[in-house]
C-alpha cells in the first residue's frame, strides 16, 4: 500500500513558508496539497497559480492541486505551467460524465495526473464512470471550503467502497482523503484504504514533524 502525506498549503503560515515547508519535507511528506477556491463553487476564496509558483520555488514536493472552482477546465493549462503535477476537479462542475471525461483527457494531454472528487453529499454513483480513467480519487471528508472542520465519520464507508471497487476491477487510482485528518482519523482512513492523507490544520499546528510522522 502506498503511504503519502500531503500537507495542505491552506493552513501554511505564509510569513514562515520556507521553514515550514522544509519541516514537512524532513518529516517525510512527499506531496503538497494546494486548495484553489473561487468564492462561487465554495463560499471562500484562497489563492491562484502565481502563489503556487512561489511555493514551487521553495519546495520540491509533488504539487497536488485541488480545484474547488467553477469551469475548472479553463484553468488546467495555467496551473500546469506554474508547476501542478496532479489536478483534481469536482464532479459537480460538469453536467455529465461525457464532459467530465473530456476534462480528464485534457489533463492527460497536459502530462499531469488526473483526479476526480466529490462533496460528501454527492452520490458515489456520480463518479463511477471516471474510475477507470483517473489516477486519483479524492474523498472529501468535510464540506469543501474551509480548513479546520471535523471529519465526517460516514466517509469511512465511502473510502472502503472506493477501495473495493478498485480491487474488484483492477483499477489503479490512488485514494486520497481530505478534511479533518488528524492523529485519530488519519489511521482510520488508512485502514479503510486511503493512500494519501491530506492534512492542513493538524500538520501546521505546533509540532509539524510529529504530526506528519503520525500520518505515515
Ligand atoms: C477543504 C480543503 C482541505 C483543507 C483541509 O475545503 O479541501 O484541503 O485544507 O483542512 P483540514 O486538514 O484542516 O481539515
Ligand atoms: Zn483540498
Amino acid at each position: 500500500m502506498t503511504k503519502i502525506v500531503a500537507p495542505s498549503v491552506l493552513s501554511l503560515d505564509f510569513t514562515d513558508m520556507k521553514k515550514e515547508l522544509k519541516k514537512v519535507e524532513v518529516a517525510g511528506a512527499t506531496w503538497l496539497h494546494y486548495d484553489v477556491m473561487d468564492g462561487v463553487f465554495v463560499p471562500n476564496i484562497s489563492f491562484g497559480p502565481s502563489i503556487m509558483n512561489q511555493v514551487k520555488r521553495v519546495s520540491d514536493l509533488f504539487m497536488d492541486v485541488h480545484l474547488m472552482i467553477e469551469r475548472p477546465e479553463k484553468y488546467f493549462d495555467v496551473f500546469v505551467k506554474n508547476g501542478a503535477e496532479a489536478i483534481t476537479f469536482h464532479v459537480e462542475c460538469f453536467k455529465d460524465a461525457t464532459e467530465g471525461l473530456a476534462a480528464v483527457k485534457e489533463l492527460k494531454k497536459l502530462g499531469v495526473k488526473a483526479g476526480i472528487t466529490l462533496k460528501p453529499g454527492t452520490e458515489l454513483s456520480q463518479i463511477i464512470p471516471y474510475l477507470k480513467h483517473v489516477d486519483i480519487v479524492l474523498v472529501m471528508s468535510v464540506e469543501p471550503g474551509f480548513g479546520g472542520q471535523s471529519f465526517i465519520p460516514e466517509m469511512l464507508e465511502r473510502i472502503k467502497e472506493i477501495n473495493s471497487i478498485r480491487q474488484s476491477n483492477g483499477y489503479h487510482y490512488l485514494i486520497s482523503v481530505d478534511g479533518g485528518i488528524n492523529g485519530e482519523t488519519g489511521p482510520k482512513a488508512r485502514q479503510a484504504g486511503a493512500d494519501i492523507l491530506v492534512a492542513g490544520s493538524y500538520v501546521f499546528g505546533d509540532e509539524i514533524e510529529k504530526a506528519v510522522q503520525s500520518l505515515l
Side-chain angles (χ1 to χ4, degrees):
M1 193 181 142
T2 323
K3 273 194 183 180
I4 293 168
V5 175
S8 171
V9 172
L10 198 59
S11 296
L12 183 67
D13 176 359
F14 278 89
T15 63
D16 205 12
M17 174 162 91
K18 225 171 152 173
K19 237 172 98 200
E20 293 209 341
L21 290 176
K22 195 77 222 157
K23 280 188 189 169
V24 294
E25 191 175 333
V26 168
T30 48
W31 285 30
L32 272 185
H33 184 85
Y34 191 83
D35 287 307
V36 183
M37 306 179 185
D38 65 355
V40 180
F41 181 73
V42 288
N44 192 13
I45 298 176
S46 58
F47 26 56
S50 58
I51 301 289
M52 192 179 79
N53 189 286
Q54 295 188 30
V55 174
K56 276 298 277 190
R57 277 194 263 146
V58 292
S59 172
D60 294 327
L61 298 184
F62 183 90
M63 190 58 81
D64 173 39
V65 177
H66 175 195
L67 296 179
M68 286 163 274
I69 61 175
E70 299 279 0
R71 306 292 311 273
E73 77 285 1
K74 277 171 66 181
Y75 300 92
F76 290 168
D77 191 49
V78 68
F79 277 101
V80 172
K81 282 200 179 106
N82 282 278
E85 290 163 289
I87 295 183
T88 295
F89 64 84
H90 275 262
V91 69
E92 297 89 355
C93 294
F94 289 96
K95 84 170 193 300
D96 56 40
T98 311
E99 277 192 9
L101 283 169
V104 169
K105 217 169 170 185
E106 185 57 35
L107 289 173
K108 301 264 168 129
K109 221 162 73 191
L110 290 167
V112 295
K113 282 192 196 296
I116 189 75
T117 186
L118 72 176
K119 293 180 177 181
T122 300
E123 290 289 333
L124 186 63
S125 60
Q126 296 281 318
I127 64 162
I128 298 292
Y130 294 83
L131 298 181
K132 187 177 172 189
H133 306 280
V134 291
D135 305 297
I136 299 166
V137 176
L138 178 70
V139 175
M140 285 304 305
S141 40
V142 298
E143 209 51 60
F146 299 92
Q149 305 179 73
S150 302
F151 186 90
I152 301 170
E154 288 77 21
M155 293 303 111
L156 287 172
E157 266 318 303
R158 175 166 280 186
I159 301 166
K160 283 183 194 157
E161 209 169 329
I162 294 171
N163 189 27
S164 100
I165 295 172
R166 172 169 66 179
Q167 278 167 358
S168 47
N169 293 277
Y171 293 155
H172 297 290
Y173 48 79
L174 293 170
I175 301 173
S176 184
V177 181
D178 184 9
I181 292 293
N182 57 37
E184 255 174 62
T185 56
K188 286 184 188 164
R190 284 250 188 256
Q191 218 177 2
D195 305 289
I196 304 161
L197 297 179
V198 175
S201 46
Y202 176 61
V203 162
F204 293 108
D206 296 339
E207 296 191 274
I208 293 181
E209 289 95 337
K210 245 186 169 167
V212 169
Q213 282 157 7
S214 75
L215 299 177
L216 281 167

